Amino acid sequence: MVASIDNVRGLTLAMSSSAFIGSSFVIKKVGLKKAGDNGVRAASGGFSYLYEPLWWLGMITMILGEVANFAAYAFAPAVLVTPLGALSIIFSAVLAHFILKENLHMFGVVGCILCVVGSVGIVLHAPKERKIDSMKEIWHLATQPGFIVYSCVAVACVLFLIFRVVERSGHRLMLVYIAICSLMGSLTVISVKAVAIALKLSFNGSNQFIYVQTWFFIVVVTICCLVQLNYLNKALDSFNTAVVSPVYYVMFTILTIVANMIMYKDWASQTATQIATQLCGFVTIVAGTFLLHKTRDMGNPPPPDQVCLEEARERDPRPMNSSS
């Protein structure tokens, strides 16, 4: 990777974005918990969190992170910017450990380190940014058969999960919510990068907002972000933050890299060694995420016997007369 001013700017913005977004997970979780104590939980379809100041603080923090991330895509390739989201895992897991009292075991720390090591490997071997001079060029790439097929498959999967799976299994299977967020997120990044490039070209004197394609990408970004926000709230309200954050990161990153590879052909100019090194980086990240997921409850005290007894009564009240 050629070190340039644009790459440095992109890296700086991406790292700042990770700090903001990682913190926002925890702040929003605190707000969701407080709102759930006073109203209907988000996972149950409630919107009482909209009246909770802490949730809005978390939203503002996330917006700042997304703005920094948005700007990063204008200067650096998505294959370079997206993996740096691993840093948000560190911020989220550590803050959740101290603020939310969600236990982060030693193996969880190792998992965070693995995520960072994998991201560093990807960054060091990231491809060069493709030079794009107009929105028409981006639209030409977006209308290639390969990306059209990917977009249709992603949208079809999201609609199937929302209308057929969420009600039955969403509250039990974290991957249902995260899959929706990640699939929409990959399309969001494609559109965000297009809008970011349009802004960059416009600031340089070539107005790209005279093209309807630019506004099309803006509409796609808006729709995808709203869907992601809704189902990410459900995931955070239902599952452990230290698990939601890394699993979401891995699935989102993989799908984003795939989408960018199909549309922008980021790996076309790379050697087999560089591609293999990046794949090894992904494997390292997945290994770190696996550790975080499998050890999320390690070291936590077992639930009191009374809680277990009450759960048993709720499942079947008949055994309560076993003293006879």
Side-chain angles (χ1 to χ4, degrees):
M1 182 184 69
V2 178
S4 65
I5 295 177
D6 279 353
N7 281 335
V8 172
R9 289 173 179 170
L11 287 172
T12 302
L13 288 166
M15 293 174 66
S16 301
S17 170
S18 295
F20 282 119
I21 292 175
S23 302
S24 73
F25 275 101
V26 176
I27 298 172
K28 287 173 66 179
K29 179 69 180 255
V30 174
L32 287 168
K33 290 178 68 176
K34 291 188 65 176
D37 293 338
N38 301 319
V40 181
R41 297 178 59 188
S44 301
F47 296 94
S48 57
Y49 59 85
L50 294 174
Y51 302 98
E52 178 54 51
L54 277 175
W55 185 86
W56 283 107
L57 177 61
M59 273 300 301
I60 293 172
T61 306
M62 176 168 280
I63 290 171
L64 290 175
E66 294 296 347
V67 169
N69 197 50
F70 175 89
Y73 283 111
F75 296 100
V79 178
L80 174 61
V81 174
T82 306
L84 289 179
L87 295 178
S88 67
I89 297 175
I90 308 303
F91 283 98
S92 179
V94 172
L95 289 176
H97 176 75
F98 290 104
I99 296 177
L100 300 177
K101 307 304 179 183
E102 295 179 358
N103 185 61
L104 182 63
H105 194 265
M106 179 184 67
F107 290 109
V109 175
V110 175
C112 290
I113 294 173
L114 287 174
C115 289
V116 173
V117 171
S119 294
V120 170
I122 293 172
V123 168
L124 293 178
H125 296 85
K128 297 179 182 179
E129 172 75 320
R130 180 183 183 133
K131 183 174 176 56
I132 295 177
D133 298 317
S134 70
M135 179 56 65
K136 289 185 177 180
E137 186 176 348
I138 297 177
W139 186 253
H140 174 73
L141 294 172
T143 53
Q144 293 294 307
F147 186 71
I148 290 177
V149 170
Y150 174 84
S151 300
C152 292
V153 170
V155 172
C157 289
V158 168
L159 293 176
F160 174 78
L161 290 172
I162 290 176
F163 293 108
R164 297 296 299 274
V165 180
V166 166
E167 289 189 5
R168 293 182 296 178
S169 305
H171 63 287
R172 294 184 292 105
L173 300 176
M174 178 181 64
L175 287 179
V176 173
Y177 293 142
I178 293 180
I180 294 173
C181 294
S182 300
L183 286 166
M184 297 302 284
S186 66
L187 299 179
T188 301
V189 169
I190 292 293
S191 302
V192 162
K193 186 171 180 65
V195 176
I197 292 174
L199 281 170
K200 182 181 178 182
L201 292 173
S202 298
F203 287 138
N204 290 334
S206 178
N207 185 12
Q208 300 299 306
F209 288 87
I210 60 176
Y211 300 115
V212 67
Q213 292 92 334
T214 303
W215 296 101
F216 172 81
F217 283 118
I218 291 175
V219 171
V220 172
V221 169
T222 303
I223 294 174
C224 290
C225 285
L226 290 175
V227 175
Q228 283 179 263
L229 174 63
N230 183 37
Y231 287 96
L232 184 58
N233 279 333
K234 293 179 183 293
L236 286 171
D237 194 40
S238 304
F239 305 99
N240 193 312
T241 306
V243 179
V244 170
S245 180
V247 174
Y248 173 54
Y249 163 76
V250 170
M251 186 175 293
F252 166 75
T253 301
I254 291 175
L255 290 174
T256 298
I257 296 300
V258 170
N260 277 271
M261 182 177 63
I262 294 173
M263 178 171 167
Y264 292 103
K265 299 175 177 59
D266 288 329
W267 286 343
S269 62
Q270 289 196 294
T271 65
T273 301
Q274 291 173 316
I275 295 174
T277 302
Q278 292 180 68
L279 292 176
C280 289
F282 274 119
V283 172
T284 304
I285 292 173
V286 171
T289 304
F290 176 80
L291 274 178
L292 281 167
H293 180 72
K294 298 301 290 185
T295 62
R296 67 186 186 278
D297 295 324
M298 188 177 293
N300 288 328
D305 293 338
Q306 184 62 33
V307 173
C308 296
L309 182 60
E310 290 177 357
E311 292 178 350
R313 287 174 177 171
E314 292 176 358
R315 289 194 298 268
D316 188 357
R318 289 174 297 178
M320 296 303 98
N321 295 325
S322 58
S323 58
S324 57

